[in-house]
Amino acid sequence: MHKISIIEYMEAIVRQLYLDQIEKYLGKDTIIILTGQRRVGKSCILRLLRDKTRVDSGINVIYVDKEKKEFDSIKTYTELNAYIDAHRVAGKTNYILIDEIQDIEAFERSVRSYYEEPDVEIVVTGSNSKMLSSDLSTLIGGRYREIYIQALSYEEFMQFHNLPDTDDTLAKYIQFGGLPGLSKMGLDEQDARDYQMDVYHTVLLKDVVLRNQIRNVAFLENLVHFLSDNTGKLISANSISKYMKSQGENMTSTAVINYTRYLCNAYAIHKVSRYDIHGRRLFESNDKFYFEDHGIRNALAGGTREGDIEKVIENIVYNHLVRLGYEVLVGQLQAGEIDFVCTKPAGKRVYVQVSYIIADEKTREREFGTLRAIQDNYPKYVISMTPLVTKADDNGITHLHLRKFLTEGLT
């Protein structure tokens, strides 16, 4: 299968990274699941795959989009089976593409049934990690591949908005975040905020409230606002419960744990656990939380970024480290906290500190000194927006500007 070019699909901006990942697993008896928060681009990627495969005369595409009214009648797996059977073509490879499959009752039965067929490829999208992983793993074991779709990277943001790599563009990315739909809305502050809040309420309603039958919606919304105010801070369920009680919300720590798990399952937020670097063990309390889209986080927090710029930068760095393929934890030392301990399957590890501007010796010692206290030889980085710094070495610790990190990674 040839790569998609912008010339072929002028109306769509191609996120080739994800299409390459899909192509890698096609033809390998693997169900492909595109996961991620609503409105981060899963549907667009699936449509691009649909349009690409349709030009192949040996492929028949069966496409179901549960967010379109024409597919409202498909509510259960039996109705899905009937639709697929009516559109299958013998003698061709049948690509079954289903958008937001979790909206179909007992969908996993259909997936398993058609997965066994020799002339079928299955690619689906979903917005609930717990439901997809538990339901599918029960029936088909490890015969599926999950591809996590994130909000736009900085480079994708530039492409979607046709902007150059400048300080002004980076400032826009820090403020507006990476929802692909903003490319149609434009970067007007009020229009962007209205759109971001619309996406936020859709995620909250469809993937959290309705999915988990939540009754106390007011507490849920207060919890999300609390997390937006405390992005990147170490917090526990008990501390959240105490704070909510001070605000007149009497919710137990168990309820807080459940609600944050629901938000994580919907990809709205991500929980990052603490790791004892010297003891090499995970702590069981006090985690950090980051938003899938920092633009939504900013819309919830309100105000300007002058007062919370470090929180936003840390959120951006976390998401990009995940995009680079790292498993990310928060590091804990007696000497202090390491923002991120990042590992890859082959055992490769890096340590990352995040700061806004390192303008004096006290700030430099806080950020660099903690990294120096780690007694191993893994690479260590400080990422900041310090003017005139692109990449510098400070006694073995690499100081990277945020823009360089977002365009070149940890080089």
Side-chain angles (χ1 to χ4, degrees), residues 323-356:
R323 189 176 289 111
L324 293 174
Y326 288 101
E327 179 186 353
V328 183
L329 296 169
V330 176
Q332 190 66 48
L333 289 167
Q334 287 186 343
E337 176 190 304
I338 304 298
D339 288 330
F340 300 122
V341 180
C342 316
T343 57
K344 287 190 175 181
K348 181 179 179 181
R349 176 184 293 181
V350 299
Y351 301 102
V352 175
Q353 287 285 77
V354 182
S355 183
Y356 173 36

PDB file of all heavy atoms in Angstrom, residues 323-356:
ATOM      1  N   ARG A 323       4.517  10.649  23.192  1.00  0.00           N
ATOM      2  CA  ARG A 323       4.508  10.579  21.729  1.00  0.00           C
ATOM      3  C   ARG A 323       5.818   9.994  21.198  1.00  0.00           C
ATOM      4  O   ARG A 323       5.832   9.307  20.172  1.00  0.00           O
ATOM      5  CB  ARG A 323       4.274  11.988  21.167  1.00  0.00           C
ATOM      6  CG  ARG A 323       4.024  12.057  19.665  1.00  0.00           C
ATOM      7  CD  ARG A 323       3.717  13.480  19.246  1.00  0.00           C
ATOM      8  NE  ARG A 323       2.404  13.920  19.712  1.00  0.00           N
ATOM      9  CZ  ARG A 323       2.218  14.847  20.657  1.00  0.00           C
ATOM     10  NH1 ARG A 323       3.258  15.432  21.233  1.00  0.00           N
ATOM     11  NH2 ARG A 323       1.010  15.187  21.030  1.00  0.00           N
ATOM     12  N   LEU A 324       6.891  10.247  21.889  1.00  0.00           N
ATOM     13  CA  LEU A 324       8.199   9.731  21.492  1.00  0.00           C
ATOM     14  C   LEU A 324       8.391   8.268  21.875  1.00  0.00           C
ATOM     15  O   LEU A 324       9.431   7.682  21.578  1.00  0.00           O
ATOM     16  CB  LEU A 324       9.318  10.574  22.125  1.00  0.00           C
ATOM     17  CG  LEU A 324       9.436  12.024  21.631  1.00  0.00           C
ATOM     18  CD1 LEU A 324      10.478  12.782  22.444  1.00  0.00           C
ATOM     19  CD2 LEU A 324       9.766  12.087  20.148  1.00  0.00           C
ATOM     20  N   GLY A 325       7.384   7.690  22.527  1.00  0.00           N
ATOM     21  CA  GLY A 325       7.430   6.267  22.829  1.00  0.00           C
ATOM     22  C   GLY A 325       7.911   5.898  24.213  1.00  0.00           C
ATOM     23  O   GLY A 325       8.174   4.733  24.493  1.00  0.00           O
ATOM     24  N   TYR A 326       7.986   6.882  25.114  1.00  0.00           N
ATOM     25  CA  TYR A 326       8.450   6.606  26.466  1.00  0.00           C
ATOM     26  C   TYR A 326       7.294   6.244  27.392  1.00  0.00           C
ATOM     27  O   TYR A 326       6.175   6.783  27.266  1.00  0.00           O
ATOM     28  CB  TYR A 326       9.162   7.829  27.056  1.00  0.00           C
ATOM     29  CG  TYR A 326      10.512   8.112  26.450  1.00  0.00           C
ATOM     30  CD1 TYR A 326      10.674   9.101  25.491  1.00  0.00           C
ATOM     31  CD2 TYR A 326      11.639   7.384  26.846  1.00  0.00           C
ATOM     32  CE1 TYR A 326      11.912   9.379  24.929  1.00  0.00           C
ATOM     33  CE2 TYR A 326      12.884   7.652  26.293  1.00  0.00           C
ATOM     34  CZ  TYR A 326      13.013   8.649  25.332  1.00  0.00           C
ATOM     35  OH  TYR A 326      14.246   8.913  24.781  1.00  0.00           O
ATOM     36  N   GLU A 327       7.558   5.344  28.337  1.00  0.00           N
ATOM     37  CA  GLU A 327       6.699   5.185  29.507  1.00  0.00           C
ATOM     38  C   GLU A 327       7.190   6.189  30.534  1.00  0.00           C
ATOM     39  O   GLU A 327       8.394   6.240  30.833  1.00  0.00           O
ATOM     40  CB  GLU A 327       6.790   3.774  30.078  1.00  0.00           C
ATOM     41  CG  GLU A 327       5.935   3.573  31.317  1.00  0.00           C
ATOM     42  CD  GLU A 327       6.121   2.217  31.968  1.00  0.00           C
ATOM     43  OE1 GLU A 327       6.825   1.375  31.365  1.00  0.00           O
ATOM     44  OE2 GLU A 327       5.588   2.012  33.067  1.00  0.00           O
ATOM     45  N   VAL A 328       6.287   7.001  31.073  1.00  0.00           N
ATOM     46  CA  VAL A 328       6.702   8.151  31.876  1.00  0.00           C
ATOM     47  C   VAL A 328       6.207   8.014  33.314  1.00  0.00           C
ATOM     48  O   VAL A 328       5.028   7.744  33.559  1.00  0.00           O
ATOM     49  CB  VAL A 328       6.169   9.463  31.264  1.00  0.00           C
ATOM     50  CG1 VAL A 328       6.667  10.661  32.068  1.00  0.00           C
ATOM     51  CG2 VAL A 328       6.610   9.597  29.805  1.00  0.00           C
ATOM     52  N   LEU A 329       7.119   8.211  34.256  1.00  0.00           N
ATOM     53  CA  LEU A 329       6.804   8.233  35.679  1.00  0.00           C
ATOM     54  C   LEU A 329       7.404   9.499  36.288  1.00  0.00           C
ATOM     55  O   LEU A 329       8.239  10.167  35.675  1.00  0.00           O
ATOM     56  CB  LEU A 329       7.382   7.007  36.385  1.00  0.00           C
ATOM     57  CG  LEU A 329       6.838   5.637  35.959  1.00  0.00           C
ATOM     58  CD1 LEU A 329       7.695   4.529  36.556  1.00  0.00           C
ATOM     59  CD2 LEU A 329       5.380   5.473  36.369  1.00  0.00           C
ATOM     60  N   VAL A 330       6.967   9.825  37.505  1.00  0.00           N
ATOM     61  CA  VAL A 330       7.549  10.931  38.263  1.00  0.00           C
ATOM     62  C   VAL A 330       8.630  10.353  39.157  1.00  0.00           C
ATOM     63  O   VAL A 330       8.401   9.364  39.865  1.00  0.00           O
ATOM     64  CB  VAL A 330       6.482  11.642  39.121  1.00  0.00           C
ATOM     65  CG1 VAL A 330       7.121  12.734  39.968  1.00  0.00           C
ATOM     66  CG2 VAL A 330       5.393  12.227  38.237  1.00  0.00           C
ATOM     67  N   GLY A 331       9.817  10.929  39.132  1.00  0.00           N
ATOM     68  CA  GLY A 331      10.925  10.411  39.919  1.00  0.00           C
ATOM     69  C   GLY A 331      10.980  11.010  41.312  1.00  0.00           C
ATOM     70  O   GLY A 331      10.704  12.194  41.500  1.00  0.00           O
ATOM     71  N   GLN A 332      11.349  10.187  42.283  1.00  0.00           N
ATOM     72  CA  GLN A 332      11.460  10.653  43.661  1.00  0.00           C
ATOM     73  C   GLN A 332      12.849  10.321  44.208  1.00  0.00           C
ATOM     74  O   GLN A 332      13.313   9.176  44.136  1.00  0.00           O
ATOM     75  CB  GLN A 332      10.396   9.988  44.544  1.00  0.00           C
ATOM     76  CG  GLN A 332      10.287  10.592  45.931  1.00  0.00           C
ATOM     77  CD  GLN A 332       9.777  12.028  45.896  1.00  0.00           C
ATOM     78  OE1 GLN A 332       8.788  12.327  45.235  1.00  0.00           O
ATOM     79  NE2 GLN A 332      10.460  12.923  46.602  1.00  0.00           N
ATOM     80  N   LEU A 333      13.532  11.335  44.719  1.00  0.00           N
ATOM     81  CA  LEU A 333      14.820  11.196  45.382  1.00  0.00           C
ATOM     82  C   LEU A 333      14.744  11.867  46.747  1.00  0.00           C
ATOM     83  O   LEU A 333      13.877  12.720  46.983  1.00  0.00           O
ATOM     84  CB  LEU A 333      15.927  11.894  44.579  1.00  0.00           C
ATOM     85  CG  LEU A 333      16.389  11.287  43.256  1.00  0.00           C
ATOM     86  CD1 LEU A 333      17.231  12.310  42.513  1.00  0.00           C
ATOM     87  CD2 LEU A 333      17.194  10.022  43.510  1.00  0.00           C
ATOM     88  N   GLN A 334      15.664  11.528  47.626  1.00  0.00           N
ATOM     89  CA  GLN A 334      15.740  12.259  48.889  1.00  0.00           C
ATOM     90  C   GLN A 334      16.093  13.716  48.633  1.00  0.00           C
ATOM     91  O   GLN A 334      15.670  14.611  49.352  1.00  0.00           O
ATOM     92  CB  GLN A 334      16.785  11.622  49.811  1.00  0.00           C
ATOM     93  CG  GLN A 334      16.340  10.296  50.417  1.00  0.00           C
ATOM     94  CD  GLN A 334      17.344   9.777  51.435  1.00  0.00           C
ATOM     95  OE1 GLN A 334      18.492  10.220  51.476  1.00  0.00           O
ATOM     96  NE2 GLN A 334      16.905   8.830  52.258  1.00  0.00           N
ATOM     97  N   ALA A 335      16.873  13.930  47.565  1.00  0.00           N
ATOM     98  CA  ALA A 335      17.297  15.294  47.238  1.00  0.00           C
ATOM     99  C   ALA A 335      16.186  16.128  46.606  1.00  0.00           C
ATOM    100  O   ALA A 335      16.302  17.339  46.485  1.00  0.00           O
ATOM    101  CB  ALA A 335      18.493  15.241  46.297  1.00  0.00           C
ATOM    102  N   GLY A 336      15.113  15.479  46.170  1.00  0.00           N
ATOM    103  CA  GLY A 336      14.015  16.219  45.546  1.00  0.00           C
ATOM    104  C   GLY A 336      13.296  15.393  44.504  1.00  0.00           C
ATOM    105  O   GLY A 336      13.519  14.180  44.376  1.00  0.00           O
ATOM    106  N   GLU A 337      12.461  16.062  43.741  1.00  0.00           N
ATOM    107  CA  GLU A 337      11.626  15.397  42.741  1.00  0.00           C
ATOM    108  C   GLU A 337      12.222  15.566  41.347  1.00  0.00           C
ATOM    109  O   GLU A 337      12.722  16.631  40.996  1.00  0.00           O
ATOM    110  CB  GLU A 337      10.221  15.996  42.780  1.00  0.00           C
ATOM    111  CG  GLU A 337       9.273  15.462  41.733  1.00  0.00           C
ATOM    112  CD  GLU A 337       7.986  16.280  41.685  1.00  0.00           C
ATOM    113  OE1 GLU A 337       7.328  16.419  42.728  1.00  0.00           O
ATOM    114  OE2 GLU A 337       7.667  16.800  40.592  1.00  0.00           O
ATOM    115  N   ILE A 338      12.166  14.479  40.576  1.00  0.00           N
ATOM    116  CA  ILE A 338      12.516  14.541  39.158  1.00  0.00           C
ATOM    117  C   ILE A 338      11.209  14.541  38.392  1.00  0.00           C
ATOM    118  O   ILE A 338      10.379  13.640  38.565  1.00  0.00           O
ATOM    119  CB  ILE A 338      13.367  13.320  38.733  1.00  0.00           C
ATOM    120  CG1 ILE A 338      14.619  13.207  39.598  1.00  0.00           C
ATOM    121  CG2 ILE A 338      13.731  13.418  37.255  1.00  0.00           C
ATOM    122  CD1 ILE A 338      15.563  14.364  39.495  1.00  0.00           C
ATOM    123  N   ASP A 339      11.010  15.542  37.544  1.00  0.00           N
ATOM    124  CA  ASP A 339       9.720  15.664  36.872  1.00  0.00           C
ATOM    125  C   ASP A 339       9.340  14.375  36.148  1.00  0.00           C
ATOM    126  O   ASP A 339       8.240  13.858  36.323  1.00  0.00           O
ATOM    127  CB  ASP A 339       9.736  16.843  35.887  1.00  0.00           C
ATOM    128  CG  ASP A 339       9.718  18.185  36.605  1.00  0.00           C
ATOM    129  OD1 ASP A 339       9.144  18.250  37.713  1.00  0.00           O
ATOM    130  OD2 ASP A 339      10.282  19.153  36.080  1.00  0.00           O
ATOM    131  N   PHE A 340      10.270  13.840  35.338  1.00  0.00           N
ATOM    132  CA  PHE A 340       9.921  12.658  34.551  1.00  0.00           C
ATOM    133  C   PHE A 340      11.074  11.661  34.483  1.00  0.00           C
ATOM    134  O   PHE A 340      12.211  12.032  34.164  1.00  0.00           O
ATOM    135  CB  PHE A 340       9.529  13.062  33.127  1.00  0.00           C
ATOM    136  CG  PHE A 340       8.355  13.991  33.067  1.00  0.00           C
ATOM    137  CD1 PHE A 340       8.456  15.235  32.454  1.00  0.00           C
ATOM    138  CD2 PHE A 340       7.131  13.637  33.634  1.00  0.00           C
ATOM    139  CE1 PHE A 340       7.379  16.098  32.397  1.00  0.00           C
ATOM    140  CE2 PHE A 340       6.048  14.505  33.598  1.00  0.00           C
ATOM    141  CZ  PHE A 340       6.164  15.732  32.975  1.00  0.00           C
ATOM    142  N   VAL A 341      10.757  10.410  34.793  1.00  0.00           N
ATOM    143  CA  VAL A 341      11.651   9.278  34.548  1.00  0.00           C
ATOM    144  C   VAL A 341      11.065   8.537  33.359  1.00  0.00           C
ATOM    145  O   VAL A 341       9.932   8.042  33.423  1.00  0.00           O
ATOM    146  CB  VAL A 341      11.734   8.343  35.767  1.00  0.00           C
ATOM    147  CG1 VAL A 341      12.675   7.173  35.477  1.00  0.00           C
ATOM    148  CG2 VAL A 341      12.186   9.110  36.998  1.00  0.00           C
ATOM    149  N   CYS A 342      11.805   8.478  32.268  1.00  0.00           N
ATOM    150  CA  CYS A 342      11.258   8.002  30.995  1.00  0.00           C
ATOM    151  C   CYS A 342      12.009   6.753  30.541  1.00  0.00           C
ATOM    152  O   CYS A 342      13.238   6.762  30.456  1.00  0.00           O
ATOM    153  CB  CYS A 342      11.393   9.083  29.920  1.00  0.00           C
ATOM    154  SG  CYS A 342      10.927  10.737  30.484  1.00  0.00           S
ATOM    155  N   THR A 343      11.266   5.697  30.246  1.00  0.00           N
ATOM    156  CA  THR A 343      11.905   4.446  29.826  1.00  0.00           C
ATOM    157  C   THR A 343      11.264   3.925  28.544  1.00  0.00           C
ATOM    158  O   THR A 343      10.115   4.217  28.239  1.00  0.00           O
ATOM    159  CB  THR A 343      11.781   3.366  30.922  1.00  0.00           C
ATOM    160  OG1 THR A 343      10.391   3.159  31.231  1.00  0.00           O
ATOM    161  CG2 THR A 343      12.527   3.774  32.170  1.00  0.00           C
ATOM    162  N   LYS A 344      12.048   3.128  27.817  1.00  0.00           N
ATOM    163  CA  LYS A 344      11.572   2.414  26.634  1.00  0.00           C
ATOM    164  C   LYS A 344      11.797   0.928  26.847  1.00  0.00           C
ATOM    165  O   LYS A 344      12.599   0.527  27.699  1.00  0.00           O
ATOM    166  CB  LYS A 344      12.289   2.916  25.378  1.00  0.00           C
ATOM    167  CG  LYS A 344      11.828   4.300  24.940  1.00  0.00           C
ATOM    168  CD  LYS A 344      12.372   4.678  23.575  1.00  0.00           C
ATOM    169  CE  LYS A 344      11.793   6.014  23.117  1.00  0.00           C
ATOM    170  NZ  LYS A 344      12.283   6.409  21.777  1.00  0.00           N
ATOM    171  N   PRO A 345      11.095   0.076  26.085  1.00  0.00           N
ATOM    172  CA  PRO A 345      11.163  -1.376  26.319  1.00  0.00           C
ATOM    173  C   PRO A 345      12.568  -1.953  26.342  1.00  0.00           C
ATOM    174  O   PRO A 345      12.835  -2.901  27.072  1.00  0.00           O
ATOM    175  CB  PRO A 345      10.345  -1.943  25.153  1.00  0.00           C
ATOM    176  CG  PRO A 345       9.375  -0.864  24.810  1.00  0.00           C
ATOM    177  CD  PRO A 345      10.109   0.420  25.044  1.00  0.00           C
ATOM    178  N   ALA A 346      13.476  -1.412  25.570  1.00  0.00           N
ATOM    179  CA  ALA A 346      14.832  -1.971  25.508  1.00  0.00           C
ATOM    180  C   ALA A 346      15.664  -1.632  26.738  1.00  0.00           C
ATOM    181  O   ALA A 346      16.827  -2.000  26.819  1.00  0.00           O
ATOM    182  CB  ALA A 346      15.539  -1.474  24.256  1.00  0.00           C
ATOM    183  N   GLY A 347      15.065  -0.928  27.701  1.00  0.00           N
ATOM    184  CA  GLY A 347      15.796  -0.577  28.911  1.00  0.00           C
ATOM    185  C   GLY A 347      16.401   0.806  28.882  1.00  0.00           C
ATOM    186  O   GLY A 347      17.020   1.241  29.850  1.00  0.00           O
ATOM    187  N   LYS A 348      16.224   1.511  27.771  1.00  0.00           N
ATOM    188  CA  LYS A 348      16.749   2.867  27.664  1.00  0.00           C
ATOM    189  C   LYS A 348      15.999   3.779  28.621  1.00  0.00           C
ATOM    190  O   LYS A 348      14.768   3.746  28.701  1.00  0.00           O
ATOM    191  CB  LYS A 348      16.593   3.369  26.231  1.00  0.00           C
ATOM    192  CG  LYS A 348      17.138   4.774  26.013  1.00  0.00           C
ATOM    193  CD  LYS A 348      16.980   5.215  24.570  1.00  0.00           C
ATOM    194  CE  LYS A 348      17.512   6.621  24.356  1.00  0.00           C
ATOM    195  NZ  LYS A 348      17.345   7.070  22.957  1.00  0.00           N
ATOM    196  N   ARG A 349      16.731   4.600  29.342  1.00  0.00           N
ATOM    197  CA  ARG A 349      16.116   5.505  30.313  1.00  0.00           C
ATOM    198  C   ARG A 349      16.697   6.897  30.166  1.00  0.00           C
ATOM    199  O   ARG A 349      17.888   7.065  29.880  1.00  0.00           O
ATOM    200  CB  ARG A 349      16.336   5.002  31.738  1.00  0.00           C
ATOM    201  CG  ARG A 349      15.806   5.947  32.812  1.00  0.00           C
ATOM    202  CD  ARG A 349      16.126   5.469  34.207  1.00  0.00           C
ATOM    203  NE  ARG A 349      15.414   4.247  34.532  1.00  0.00           N
ATOM    204  CZ  ARG A 349      15.508   3.639  35.718  1.00  0.00           C
ATOM    205  NH1 ARG A 349      16.293   4.136  36.650  1.00  0.00           N
ATOM    206  NH2 ARG A 349      14.814   2.541  35.940  1.00  0.00           N
ATOM    207  N   VAL A 350      15.857   7.907  30.372  1.00  0.00           N
ATOM    208  CA  VAL A 350      16.309   9.298  30.450  1.00  0.00           C
ATOM    209  C   VAL A 350      15.572   9.977  31.591  1.00  0.00           C
ATOM    210  O   VAL A 350      14.475   9.559  31.978  1.00  0.00           O
ATOM    211  CB  VAL A 350      16.081  10.071  29.125  1.00  0.00           C
ATOM    212  CG1 VAL A 350      16.841   9.458  27.970  1.00  0.00           C
ATOM    213  CG2 VAL A 350      14.585  10.144  28.797  1.00  0.00           C
ATOM    214  N   TYR A 351      16.193  11.029  32.124  1.00  0.00           N
ATOM    215  CA  TYR A 351      15.577  11.836  33.170  1.00  0.00           C
ATOM    216  C   TYR A 351      15.339  13.236  32.616  1.00  0.00           C
ATOM    217  O   TYR A 351      16.210  13.792  31.939  1.00  0.00           O
ATOM    218  CB  TYR A 351      16.478  11.922  34.399  1.00  0.00           C
ATOM    219  CG  TYR A 351      16.806  10.580  35.025  1.00  0.00           C
ATOM    220  CD1 TYR A 351      18.042   9.979  34.799  1.00  0.00           C
ATOM    221  CD2 TYR A 351      15.885   9.923  35.832  1.00  0.00           C
ATOM    222  CE1 TYR A 351      18.353   8.752  35.373  1.00  0.00           C
ATOM    223  CE2 TYR A 351      16.181   8.697  36.410  1.00  0.00           C
ATOM    224  CZ  TYR A 351      17.416   8.115  36.181  1.00  0.00           C
ATOM    225  OH  TYR A 351      17.722   6.902  36.739  1.00  0.00           O
ATOM    226  N   VAL A 352      14.185  13.804  32.927  1.00  0.00           N
ATOM    227  CA  VAL A 352      13.821  15.107  32.371  1.00  0.00           C
ATOM    228  C   VAL A 352      13.292  16.019  33.474  1.00  0.00           C
ATOM    229  O   VAL A 352      12.392  15.644  34.230  1.00  0.00           O
ATOM    230  CB  VAL A 352      12.753  14.962  31.265  1.00  0.00           C
ATOM    231  CG1 VAL A 352      12.302  16.337  30.776  1.00  0.00           C
ATOM    232  CG2 VAL A 352      13.290  14.131  30.096  1.00  0.00           C
ATOM    233  N   GLN A 353      13.867  17.217  33.549  1.00  0.00           N
ATOM    234  CA  GLN A 353      13.340  18.288  34.383  1.00  0.00           C
ATOM    235  C   GLN A 353      12.746  19.360  33.472  1.00  0.00           C
ATOM    236  O   GLN A 353      13.280  19.603  32.377  1.00  0.00           O
ATOM    237  CB  GLN A 353      14.436  18.917  35.242  1.00  0.00           C
ATOM    238  CG  GLN A 353      14.919  18.067  36.407  1.00  0.00           C
ATOM    239  CD  GLN A 353      13.930  18.038  37.545  1.00  0.00           C
ATOM    240  OE1 GLN A 353      12.918  17.332  37.464  1.00  0.00           O
ATOM    241  NE2 GLN A 353      14.195  18.774  38.605  1.00  0.00           N
ATOM    242  N   VAL A 354      11.679  19.995  33.921  1.00  0.00           N
ATOM    243  CA  VAL A 354      11.004  21.022  33.128  1.00  0.00           C
ATOM    244  C   VAL A 354      10.962  22.328  33.916  1.00  0.00           C
ATOM    245  O   VAL A 354      10.599  22.340  35.100  1.00  0.00           O
ATOM    246  CB  VAL A 354       9.565  20.594  32.765  1.00  0.00           C
ATOM    247  CG1 VAL A 354       8.894  21.663  31.887  1.00  0.00           C
ATOM    248  CG2 VAL A 354       9.572  19.244  32.050  1.00  0.00           C
ATOM    249  N   SER A 355      11.350  23.407  33.260  1.00  0.00           N
ATOM    250  CA  SER A 355      11.312  24.724  33.891  1.00  0.00           C
ATOM    251  C   SER A 355      10.894  25.751  32.849  1.00  0.00           C
ATOM    252  O   SER A 355      11.065  25.522  31.645  1.00  0.00           O
ATOM    253  CB  SER A 355      12.692  25.078  34.460  1.00  0.00           C
ATOM    254  OG  SER A 355      12.656  26.314  35.143  1.00  0.00           O
ATOM    255  N   TYR A 356      10.362  26.878  33.290  1.00  0.00           N
ATOM    256  CA  TYR A 356       9.972  27.927  32.344  1.00  0.00           C
ATOM    257  C   TYR A 356      11.219  28.650  31.859  1.00  0.00           C
ATOM    258  O   TYR A 356      11.636  28.525  30.702  1.00  0.00           O
ATOM    259  CB  TYR A 356       8.979  28.874  32.990  1.00  0.00           C
ATOM    260  CG  TYR A 356       8.623  30.096  32.166  1.00  0.00           C
ATOM    261  CD1 TYR A 356       8.523  30.021  30.773  1.00  0.00           C
ATOM    262  CD2 TYR A 356       8.392  31.320  32.775  1.00  0.00           C
ATOM    263  CE1 TYR A 356       8.204  31.141  30.010  1.00  0.00           C
ATOM    264  CE2 TYR A 356       8.061  32.445  32.030  1.00  0.00           C
ATOM    265  CZ  TYR A 356       7.979  32.357  30.657  1.00  0.00           C
ATOM    266  OH  TYR A 356       7.663  33.463  29.912  1.00  0.00           O
TER     267      TYR A 356
END
